[in-house]
Amino acid sequence: MTGGTGATERVADVLLLFAAGPPTLGVSRVSRELDLSKAVVHRILKSLGSRDLIAYDPETREYRLGPAAAALGSRALRESDLRTTALPLLTELRDRLHETVTVSSKVHGGRIYLDQAVGTHEITMSVELGRAYPLHAGSSGKCMLAYSAADEVDRLLAGELAALTSSTPTDPDALRLELDRIRELGYAASAGERQSDAGSVAVPVFGPGGLVGAVSVCGPRFRVTGDFVAATAPEVIEIADRLTARLGGIAPDRARPTSSGRTR
């Protein structure tokens, strides 16, 4: 690795930390999280600040993402092939099920929501677009993790599995067994793993190069029950497979669930 490449990667890592972490970060926190010296972190932050990619708050002495970063994120969301191709299918499934339907994209170290068709119930769910979430929490993340490369799965399970709620899976052995089951069925389910009062069911989406994201149906836990997941999974698989086909990908073989929840 050349020095220039290493410097570029450090800058990228700092930006990604802001995308995945808390709204504001100080030099010491960035230094600790990325195992970089404070001097290096300060130079990177100063450079990013000169281009409005981050902004400094003199009262808290911390940094947050700046307007240029927001512009880049908005442009990326608008021009995402996955998002634009998925949107009519999300709306179609939302109109059938009346719950919120989302599309997520896999990114370095996690995943982000690209878009959603918000449900039509009086009490419904909406998600935060563009914010990074870990792969081990929630149905969208887990179904992408299940179809990720084996070495990536091993690295994630060997690290800390942060508990976002009391229901987030944090046992690597139990999670590995669940990933096997997800590959068998072709879908993942979640009950309060990323957000305590929410439930969801998700199916991975593939492009020409392999895994690209996931489609999920989500709603309040009192509606997204085990029976709802069993009845809904075939419809989510159908939509995800149609999206995969439109993107030029190939859906994996799996034991498809019937509306009774049994596989065939």
Side-chain angles (χ1 to χ4, degrees):
M1 177 183 296
T2 67
T5 301
T8 301
E9 290 181 345
R10 287 194 291 270
V11 172
D13 287 342
V14 170
L15 276 175
L16 290 171
L17 186 62
F18 277 93
T24 63
L25 292 167
V27 172
S28 296
R29 175 73 178 272
V30 175
S31 172
R32 184 170 62 252
E33 293 283 344
L34 298 180
D35 194 24
L36 297 172
S37 73
K38 291 184 180 180
V40 168
V41 170
H42 187 268
R43 285 198 299 271
I44 291 173
L45 293 175
K46 185 176 181 180
S47 177
L48 293 172
S50 71
R51 297 296 187 270
D52 290 328
L53 287 165
I54 61 168
Y56 178 67
D57 185 339
E59 292 188 6
T60 63
R61 302 180 68 181
E62 292 194 333
Y63 297 82
R64 67 175 65 248
L65 287 175
L72 284 173
S74 297
R75 179 72 178 266
L77 286 175
R78 289 197 307 272
E79 298 190 2
S80 165
D81 288 341
L82 175 58
R83 173 189 172 274
T84 55
T85 306
L87 191 54
L89 295 175
L90 303 186
T91 303
E92 176 186 331
L93 188 57
R94 187 275 313 276
D95 290 346
R96 271 194 252 158
L97 301 177
H98 307 293
E99 299 290 357
T100 297
V101 185
T102 75
V103 61
S104 295
S105 175
K106 189 178 178 188
V107 297
H108 177 75
R111 55 119 183 160
I112 61 171
Y113 288 111
L114 292 179
D115 213 337
Q116 61 186 323
V118 177
T120 58
H121 292 286
E122 183 174 357
I123 299 175
T124 192
M125 270 196 67
S126 63
V127 299
E128 183 178 350
L129 304 184
R131 179 179 174 183
Y133 293 102
L135 293 179
H136 70 280
S139 63
S140 292
K142 289 189 302 184
C143 75
M144 283 190 266
L145 184 60
Y147 288 91
S148 296
D151 60 345
E152 181 179 356
V153 175
D154 290 342
R155 283 196 304 273
L156 186 142
L157 296 184
E160 179 186 2
L161 299 174
L164 305 187
T165 73
S166 60
S167 298
T168 302
T170 57
D171 182 330
D173 293 331
L175 184 54
R176 194 179 290 276
L177 290 175
E178 185 176 4
L179 297 180
D180 290 339
R181 182 62 172 164
I182 291 168
R183 284 188 291 271
E184 178 186 351
L185 296 176
Y187 71 89
S190 168
E193 295 180 4
R194 186 187 64 80
Q195 188 173 332
S196 58
D197 57 354
S200 63
V201 54
V203 177
V205 175
F206 300 84
L211 176 71
V212 294
V215 168
S216 78
V217 174
C218 57
R221 285 181 70 174
F222 69 83
R223 284 202 305 265
V224 183
T225 61
D227 288 342
F228 176 91
V229 169
T232 301
E235 298 195 58
V236 186
I237 287 175
E238 177 206 359
I239 288 293
D241 285 358
R242 285 167 58 192
L243 178 54
T244 289
R246 293 184 184 186
L247 293 171
I250 299 176
D253 292 331
R254 57 198 162 204
R256 288 176 177 267
T258 65
S259 59
S260 66
R262 298 187 179 91
T263 58
R264 54 181 179 156

